[in-house]
Amino acid sequence: LSEDHKDRWILLLDPSSGKLDLLDRQRDEAWISGPGIGSWGSSAVTIGWMPDGESVWFQSEESGYSHLYTVNINTKEKKALTAGAFEVSEVSVSNDKKYFYFTANKLHPGVMHFYRMPVGGGGLTQITSMEGNNEVTLSPDEKYLAIRYSFANKPWELYLQENKPGAEPVQLTHSTTSE
């Protein structure tokens, strides 16, 4: 990422030769930042190897929204895995390498839900159901979600939910009183 945040490069390094190979470049005269891309004082860049070992997945705001992309390291073919007028954030790959898990504001700019999507792209499966902000941490075995949830008129509370669409979240904390 350039110091002025107008350029971002993804490079492949051949450690034996020291050769750098350009996989992706994003340029924006205004600013490059956003979910999974990094920001001032942050190194929060989301990137990783695809299960095939020949492609890299990453986030880019090329479309104007932060979305998931892949690029093949041999052919340099780039593919968008998500698209639309919403932002993808907090991306991870499942333990079995079959799915991406991420948070997105697909339904409304102010509503964040947790989704699962096949690692090669395709339909998004919404897992959380509470309308508002859902910050999710998967259990190490990926069977449960710890959800930090809030809404415009409700403070943050902690919930536990099975990692299944339509599963009922169970509230664990009660931060407010009737008073």
Side-chain angles (χ1 to χ4, degrees):
L1 188 62
S2 65
E3 195 170 308
D4 65 2
H5 281 252
K6 294 181 186 291
D7 289 283
R8 195 272 323 259
W9 302 269
I10 296 176
L11 301 166
L12 180 67
L13 170 67
D14 179 343
S16 61
S17 70
K19 180 183 174 231
L20 288 173
D21 203 5
L22 179 67
L23 297 179
D24 184 68
R25 178 182 182 207
Q26 185 179 342
R27 170 121 182 119
D28 190 317
E29 287 299 321
W31 189 263
I32 293 175
S33 189
I37 298 163
S39 59
W40 280 115
S42 169
S43 60
V45 177
T46 307
I47 189 169
W49 287 98
M50 292 291 283
D52 66 8
E54 295 190 10
S55 299
V56 173
W57 63 267
F58 61 96
Q59 286 179 255
S60 174
E61 287 186 325
E62 179 179 316
S63 69
Y65 295 90
S66 182
H67 281 290
L68 273 173
Y69 292 81
T70 62
V71 62
N72 182 290
I73 63 169
N74 299 311
T75 67
K76 309 302 184 281
E77 180 184 349
K78 186 162 95 173
K79 175 184 172 187
L81 298 179
T82 60
F86 63 93
E87 301 266 333
V88 169
S89 62
E90 307 299 321
V91 181
S92 66
V93 177
S94 64
N95 292 339
D96 64 7
K97 310 287 188 230
K98 292 181 180 180
Y99 299 100
F100 279 108
Y101 285 110
F102 55 82
T103 302
N105 60 352
K106 188 174 184 222
L107 302 178
H108 181 276
V111 174
M112 299 295 286
H113 279 294
F114 189 67
Y115 293 88
R116 179 181 65 223
M117 178 185 75
V119 78
L124 278 60
T125 301
Q126 182 181 319
I127 299 174
T128 53
S129 60
M130 298 181 289
E131 293 299 311
N133 194 352
N134 293 274
E135 292 180 359
V136 174
T137 301
L138 272 170
S139 64
D141 63 5
E142 298 180 348
K143 291 181 180 180
Y144 294 94
L145 313 176
I147 305 169
R148 188 171 171 252
Y149 169 77
S150 77
F151 190 71
N153 62 350
K154 294 182 183 190
W156 292 103
E157 297 288 359
L158 184 61
Y159 291 77
L160 182 66
Q161 176 185 319
E162 282 187 88
N163 185 5
K164 296 178 184 174
E168 189 68 31
V170 176
Q171 188 171 348
L172 301 176
T173 61
H174 301 275
S175 299
T176 60
T177 65
S178 57
E179 292 83 30

